[in-house]
Every structure is written in structure tokens, then in C-alpha cells.
Amino acid sequence: MQPGLGNTTAFSDGALTSNEDFPRDQSGVFQTNFAHVSETTVLTDGESTWTAGDRKLLITEKLPAGPRKFTLSHTTVANSASYRLSTRAQDVWTFRSDPSSNSGAPLIDPLLTASGLDAFGHVGTAPVTVSVSARSRLSSRAGAVTVTGIAWSADDGAHWTDLPVTAGTKAGTATARLTAPATTPWVSLRVTAADTLGNTVTRTLTRAFGGPAAAPEGHTGALAISDVDITDPPLVVTGNQELTADYTVTDPSGTAAADLVLYQGSYDRPTGMLTEPSRPVCTPLSATAQRCTATLSKYDPLRLGAANAGTWHLAVVADSATGHVEDHDIATVTMVRKAHLNTVDVTPEPVTKGGRITATGTLTHDDWDGTAPSGYAGRTVKLQFCKGTSSWTTVATGTTDTGGRVRIGAPAPSGNGRYRLAYTGDPGGPILSGTDGVTVR
């Protein structure tokens, strides 16, 4: 995730207007589509400073004519439990321009790519090639652009290591090789470039991609998440449903932004993921605590496969003015495909007193890989009998075959009554078939 190529910073009537893009992925999907992203834009000319906050257009007053040097920074910070790359993206440009020019600012856009990333944006311990392509928004009027440096960090930018840079065959292109140690969970990248007019850019991507090591949990400051409660676990998935999670946020500031996600498998390489579509609703408990309810997205079994049945984990990423929390497994939910029992068929009918009856039926469960229920094999099914208005009594059990079919034999009852099949092996209450009446002679 990184800012794309843009031309949204320009001079008009002596004033500068800036509205730089949010980061996006290689297919053009903006980070704001699946993460809570805030931004800050700051411009200075050495004498005055102009600042614009989240989703605000930066506009200066009319500036005196004549060339002068400006520094413009655009920073976005992403908070997302479902997507943990490019948590911070920053471009810092220095450029010299005349406010009376009524033209775009001579900004340089560097684009980075990395080889060897898997589908989750992680690399192993093999060498990685970082490629950079930088160009000026003024095109040829700014002269040739040169990539002047590529660096990487294993600790979110606290320390940087410069890499040997190999210039590409085209102007503004370069590559560098790095090998992430096996203990590295995240790799941050920083690239610098300049044109022949002296305009420069520094692009920093915090956690540009994942390293070989598993991501650690994070807890800084006094921010804390506690008392997590998920409604109705285990969850029998029957169709479009919602899942709510209640939790308490405690922080000296009294406010915090939290993002939740349900994932299956590992936190770094999940085999399934369900996300929260909107901000939670929070009610203050005290000056420093609030109780929040997050509604995880409506989901459809068509988005899940049969392999997604089983244990899922709830992760949370939260930020406040005084702390940060990244918990990978604060609660679990078991997702079960809904089971079904067809109407039981009891033979013979009528049955002779003292003889035997045979009951047959089929146990299925929703097939998330197709459109029809599939046989539920190896499950214990009960045959139950009821005489008149008396309660149901289990008289025999059987085990379903590979197609979910079950065949159960039992002694004939002493009088007329009804039979049904019952399956109680899954959460969410018993699964019952229809009934079949039996006459005894």
C-alpha cells in the first residue's frame, strides 16, 4: 500500500492547494476501503506553516510572487486489524517554485515494489529485490530524476540500514537487494529521489511488507482492552448473519479507536477473515473507560468454504493518544455449518407387537462449497419414540455413513406412537426430523 501517482498539489492565483491521495494497492483499491485511515498535511516555506487534518484540503493564503523553497509532508496512519501493512505512509517533498506560476508543484512520485512476496504480503529469508520508479509531475521540465537512496528497517523505523543502490536502465529507476533475518516480523522501506532542479522526495512506508517471523502482539502506554464478550458462540452459520462483540476500552484520555476482525488460521496468514464494516458504538463507563459494541460484517456462507468451519479468533488493534494495543487472540468463536435431518421413515407399517422396526433418515449440513446440503458422516443420531402426549424417549442410536444416511433398528413399541430422529452433536440446540406414526397390531 502506497500513494499513487498524483497531481493534486498546485498553485492558483498565488495560493497553494494540496489534496494528496490516500495509499492504495497495486490494483488501485484505496486503503480507506478496509482500514481506518487518518491523514495530516503540513506545508512550510521557512517563515509560515500551514496544516490540514484528516480529509481536509490544505489551502494557503495568497503568497508573494517569486521563487521560494517549500517543504510539504503528507502522512497517513492506518488502523486495521484486518490489514496490517503500510500502517504509516509518509511523503516529504522539498521543492522550489514561484507561487504566481499557476501550475502544479514540482513534486516527485516514487513507486516501490518488492519481489518474492506471498499472497499475504510476507517474504521468507531469501533475498528480496526492492525496485523503485520515480518521476516528476513536471515531466521533462524538471529534468532527469535520480533515485538517491533506498533503506530498510526491521523496527518500524527506529533504525535504518542503507542498501547499495543499482541504477536502472531508465532514468528514475533503481533496485536494491535485502535479506530479512528470520526474526524480522515487518520490513519498513524508505526511498529518496531528486531531480536536476534540486527538488527532492523522501517516501517512508512503515511495515511495507511482512518478514519471515510471526507478528508479535503489541502493548504500549496505558491503553487496555478487557472483558470481551462475543454473542452466541459457538455460531451456527445459516446465512446472512451478524456477530457482535462487546468489550471495554480503558485509557487515561477516555477515548480510543479500535478495529476488530475475526480470522481463521494464523494471524499473519489467515485462511479466512471477516471484518467490521463500521466504527463501534461506545458508552462511557467513567472518565477513563467505555463499553463498546462492534458489529462484525454480515457474512454469507458463499464467502466461506467447508474448510472454514471450526475455530475462529478475534483480533483487535486499538490506538489512543497515550497508547497502542495489538491483540491477536482475545476471544474465539466456533463456526458450525447448520445441520438438517429429513423426515424419518419407519418400516414395516403396521408393525407386529413384539417384532422390530427399522428407521431410516439422512443427516446433512450446509455445503459452503456448493449449493446443496452435503452428507454429514460419522455422526451419532438418536431414534426417539413418543406415545400419545408423553415425552420423547431415546430407544436406539445409529451412526451416519459417508452420505449422511443412517439406519437404526429397534424393538417394536407396545402401542401406537410416533418416531423421530434427533441429532445433538452440534451447538445451537438439537436438530430434529419430522415424525412418522406407527400402528401396532
Side-chain angles (χ1 to χ4, degrees):
M1 303 293 303
Q2 61 186 312
L5 300 174
N7 188 19
T8 53
T9 297
F11 291 99
S12 178
D13 295 328
L16 183 136
T17 300
S18 181
N19 187 27
E20 293 296 314
D21 276 346
F22 288 98
R24 64 183 79 184
D25 66 14
Q26 290 83 346
S27 61
V29 178
F30 282 100
Q31 191 175 32
T32 49
N33 286 17
F34 48 80
H36 304 302
V37 182
S38 61
E39 69 172 332
T40 305
T41 307
V42 180
L43 175 75
T44 179
D45 64 355
E47 297 179 359
S48 301
T49 299
W50 300 266
T51 301
D54 192 21
R55 291 166 177 79
K56 300 296 184 181
L57 191 69
L58 185 147
I59 305 177
T60 70
E61 72 272 15
K62 187 171 183 177
L63 302 169
R68 67 179 63 195
K69 185 177 180 180
F70 295 90
T71 299
L72 174 68
S73 69
H74 181 248
T75 306
T76 59
V77 178
N79 176 302
S80 175
S82 62
Y83 196 89
R84 297 166 292 278
L85 300 180
S86 293
T87 54
R88 186 175 187 271
Q90 183 182 61
D91 285 325
V92 178
W93 294 279
T94 64
F95 60 96
R96 190 170 181 82
S97 189
D98 186 342
S100 64
S101 62
N102 288 334
S103 64
L107 306 186
I108 301 171
D109 293 312
L111 294 178
L112 291 77
T113 61
S115 67
L117 274 64
D118 63 18
F120 302 97
H122 289 258
V123 296
T125 55
V128 176
T129 298
V130 177
S131 301
V132 180
S133 176
R135 74 182 192 188
S136 171
R137 298 183 189 178
L138 293 186
S139 189
S140 59
R141 287 178 292 162
V145 175
T146 301
V147 176
T148 55
I150 301 174
W152 80 284
S153 171
D155 53 12
D156 291 348
H159 303 87
W160 291 95
T161 300
D162 292 323
L163 298 170
V165 177
T166 301
T169 56
K170 295 182 178 180
T173 63
T175 59
R177 298 270 283 178
L178 73 87
T179 301
T183 55
T184 305
W186 307 107
V187 173
S188 300
L189 295 175
R190 185 178 65 193
V191 59
T192 56
D195 62 23
T196 55
L197 298 180
N199 304 309
T200 69
V201 64
T202 299
R203 170 165 291 183
T204 304
L205 300 180
T206 303
R207 301 189 179 185
F209 55 85
E217 293 188 333
H219 303 86
T220 60
L223 175 63
I225 305 293
S226 61
D227 300 329
V228 179
D229 180 30
I230 301 180
T231 56
D232 299 327
L235 188 67
V236 180
V237 181
T238 59
N240 287 333
Q241 292 177 309
E242 291 182 341
L243 182 72
T244 59
D246 298 307
Y247 55 95
T248 299
V249 181
T250 305
D251 187 81
S253 67
T255 60
D259 187 52
L260 285 81
V261 64
L262 271 178
Y263 68 94
Q264 186 190 40
S266 71
Y267 182 75
D268 291 326
R269 295 169 176 81
T271 54
M273 185 177 290
L274 299 171
T275 60
E276 164 196 15
S278 59
R279 284 293 194 183
V281 177
C282 298
T283 302
L285 299 177
S286 68
T288 60
Q290 53 186 331
R291 185 69 175 171
C292 299
T293 298
T295 301
L296 296 170
S297 65
K298 292 183 178 180
Y299 51 89
D300 191 316
L302 294 179
R303 291 179 55 196
L304 304 173
N308 292 131
T311 301
W312 287 62
H313 308 271
L314 182 69
V316 61
V317 173
D319 284 288
S320 72
T322 60
H324 173 81
V325 168
E326 187 170 334
D327 279 327
H328 300 171
D329 191 6
I330 60 174
T332 59
V333 174
T334 300
M335 291 196 186
V336 179
R337 295 187 285 165
K338 185 171 178 58
H340 310 271
L341 268 170
N342 66 350
T343 300
V344 63
D345 183 27
V346 179
T347 59
E349 294 186 44
V351 63
T352 302
K353 186 175 182 178
R356 291 186 65 81
I357 59 94
T358 300
T360 58
T362 303
L363 178 67
T364 62
H365 52 185
D366 290 343
D367 185 359
W368 293 346
D369 296 318
T371 57
S374 57
Y376 204 173
R379 314 305 292 181
T380 298
V381 175
K382 301 175 182 179
L383 177 63
Q384 298 181 333
F385 179 74
C386 175
K387 186 177 182 180
T389 58
S390 62
S391 60
W392 290 93
T393 302
T394 299
V395 297
T397 61
T399 302
T400 57
D401 63 15
T402 55
R405 296 175 294 271
V406 65
R407 184 181 182 90
I408 305 174
S414 59
N416 299 343
R418 294 170 293 149
Y419 283 96
R420 73 180 183 187
L421 296 176
Y423 171 62
T424 57
D426 284 350
I431 305 299
L432 304 174
S433 73
T435 63
D436 191 9
V438 173
T439 301
V440 180
R441 291 182 178 175

